[in-house]
Amino acid sequence: MASRTAVSLAVGALLACGLAAPQAAAATPAHSCSRWVDIDSFSDALDKTTFDGTFVGNLSALAVDRDGDLAALSDRSALFTLDRRTRQPESVVPLADENGQPLDSEGLAVDRDGTRLVTSETEPSVRRYAPDGRLLGRLPVPDALRVAPAGRATSNATFEGLTLQPGGRTLVASMEQPLSGDQADLVRFQTWQRTRGEFALAAQYAYRVDVGLGVAEVTATGDGRLLVLERGFTSGVGNTIRLYLADPRGATDVSGVDELSGQDVRLVRKTPLADLEDCPSLGATAKQPQLNPLLDNIEGMAVLGTAPGGRLRVLLVSDDNQNAAQITRLYSLTVALPHR
C-alpha cells in the first residue's frame, strides 16, 4: 500500500436498503463530496463480525453476482455472498491455489456464467473459480508483470483491481504500483480479450497515478470507461482516497514497451470525480487518525446500477486488515459521469 504526506480522501457508499444495525447511518438526501459525487450512507455493521466460523473482514473487492446479490472477496482466501438488501453474509467459500494453498486475493469479477475471476498479487495471477470455490483454471500473465526476479513487479503491489467491460469480452486488471524501470507515477492496466470462449492476452495501457498513491480498484462504468480508486496512507494522518474516471480510448498499447515514460506514449485519460476527504462525515467515527473520520482503508468498489437521472449507484468497502485500529465499512455513493 502506498503512503506519502497527502490529504486523505475516500469515496464511499452503501445502498441504504434497510440496514438493521445500530452502526448504520441513515441515508439522507444527497450529501455532496464534489459536483460529481454524493455520499448517501455508510454502515459499520460488518465490522469485527464472523459468519460460519469465518472472520468477516479483510475485504478487498466487491462484484455484483448474476442474481443481484454481492460477492465480497477477502484477501485471506474467503469469498462471501452478501444479501443485496441487508448486506449481511449468506454464504462463504474458501479459495485456494493449485497446491491447495491460500491466496493473497485482491481483485474480483463475476463472469457471465457465474465464474469468479480472482486475482492474487503474490505472483501475480488471475484464476477462475466455480461459485462453490472449485479452481477451474488460470489466465496467462505477461512475464514483465510478475514479481521480481521472475519479472519487474514489486511484491504486494501487482494486480489489485479487476473488472469486466460490458458484454464480458474484455477483462481489465490494474497494477497497484509501477514496474521497476517504468516512470515512478505510471502504472499498467493489463487487458485480456475473450476469443473462442477463452481469455487471451490483449492490450496494455499506462495510467498516471497521483504522487504517493496507488491504484486500489478499477470498475467498469458500462460505457467502456472505468472508475479508478486511488489510495494511500500516511501514519499519523490517515488515508487518502480519490475517485477518478478513466477512458482508455486512444491510449497507446504499451505491452511491448520495456520502460514506460509519459513522454513516449498516450496515457489513459483521467478525470477527477471526488476526494473523499471532502465528503461530509455523516457522523462516522474513526479508530485511528483521519483527516475525515469517514475514511478508512477503502479497497473494493462495485457499480450496483443506475439511480434517477442516470447517475451510478456505487458501493465501496474498506479492508480492516483484521486490525483493531481499522474498520470494515461499507459506503454508498451516487456518481455522475462527465460527458465524453
Side-chain angles (χ1 to χ4, degrees):
M1 197 189 326
S3 97
R4 291 275 195 286
T5 53
V7 288
S8 66
L9 151 201
V11 33
L14 163 71
L15 196 63
C17 297
L19 287 169
Q23 303 98 321
T28 58
H31 297 79
S32 177
C33 305
S34 70
R35 64 176 294 195
W36 304 111
V37 176
D38 294 326
I39 181 164
D40 303 319
S41 64
F42 74 92
S43 173
D44 296 348
L46 294 178
D47 189 45
K48 306 303 181 286
T49 61
T50 59
F51 175 80
D52 200 18
T54 302
F55 181 77
V56 182
N58 306 298
L59 299 180
S60 295
L62 296 169
V64 179
D65 210 343
R66 294 184 302 166
D67 62 2
D69 284 340
L70 288 166
L73 180 68
S74 162
D75 60 20
R76 310 291 175 90
S77 291
L79 184 57
F80 295 90
T81 296
L82 306 182
D83 181 88
R84 73 192 76 176
R85 295 180 180 85
T86 67
R87 311 298 189 225
Q88 289 297 307
E90 294 183 321
S91 65
V92 60
V93 296
L95 302 177
D97 67 13
E98 294 80 359
N99 299 314
Q101 298 301 305
L103 314 171
D104 184 357
S105 40
E106 297 286 349
L108 172 68
V110 176
D111 207 347
R112 297 173 298 184
D113 61 358
T115 297
R116 278 72 166 125
L117 297 158
V118 175
T119 71
S120 174
E121 64 176 356
T122 52
E123 306 102 335
S125 64
V126 181
R127 291 181 174 87
R128 300 170 56 250
Y129 292 89
D132 63 4
R134 287 180 298 113
L135 178 60
L136 302 176
R138 59 193 293 173
L139 276 57
V141 173
D143 288 341
L145 302 189
R146 299 186 186 280
V147 171
R152 296 194 289 118
T154 301
S155 179
N156 202 40
T158 64
F159 289 156
E160 190 80 12
L162 191 70
T163 191
L164 270 172
Q165 289 283 24
R169 287 191 287 272
T170 302
L171 183 70
V172 183
S174 55
M175 296 288 284
E176 183 180 10
Q177 297 288 344
L179 300 180
S180 64
D182 285 354
Q183 189 169 302
D185 61 351
L186 297 181
V187 300
R188 299 186 185 229
F189 286 4
Q190 177 64 48
T191 70
W192 292 259
Q193 199 72 25
R194 196 191 302 268
T195 304
R196 296 174 184 167
E198 300 294 331
F199 283 109
L201 287 170
Q204 192 180 101
Y205 304 111
Y207 173 91
R208 175 171 281 128
V209 291
D210 291 357
V211 174
L213 304 185
V215 176
E217 185 64 287
V218 291
T219 301
T221 62
D223 62 2
R225 294 181 289 179
L226 301 164
L227 292 178
V228 179
L229 194 65
E230 296 189 24
R231 175 198 58 185
F233 177 76
T234 302
S235 180
V237 177
N239 289 97
T240 298
I241 312 287
R242 296 181 184 144
L243 185 65
Y244 287 93
L245 178 66
D247 190 345
R249 292 183 311 161
T252 303
D253 180 358
V254 299
S255 54
V257 179
D258 287 337
E259 296 187 351
L260 276 179
S261 166
Q263 306 299 317
D264 303 331
V265 300
R266 294 186 305 276
L267 305 178
V268 172
R269 288 177 292 166
K270 77 182 220 182
T271 302
L273 296 180
D275 186 318
L276 198 56
E277 187 193 333
D278 299 329
C279 296
S281 67
L282 302 183
T285 59
K287 298 179 181 180
Q288 62 181 330
Q290 296 284 358
L291 294 178
N292 181 334
L294 184 70
L295 301 180
D296 211 282
N297 179 36
I298 299 175
E299 286 199 17
M301 175 169 58
V303 173
L304 305 182
T306 55
R311 293 161 65 89
L312 299 181
R313 294 187 294 113
V314 176
L315 183 66
L316 306 180
V317 67
S318 59
D319 175 1
D320 74 337
N321 291 307
Q322 213 158 335
N323 184 331
Q326 294 178 285
I327 301 169
T328 296
R329 177 171 285 169
L330 289 165
Y331 307 76
S332 179
L333 303 174
T334 50
V335 179
L337 299 182
H339 295 300
R340 292 189 178 216

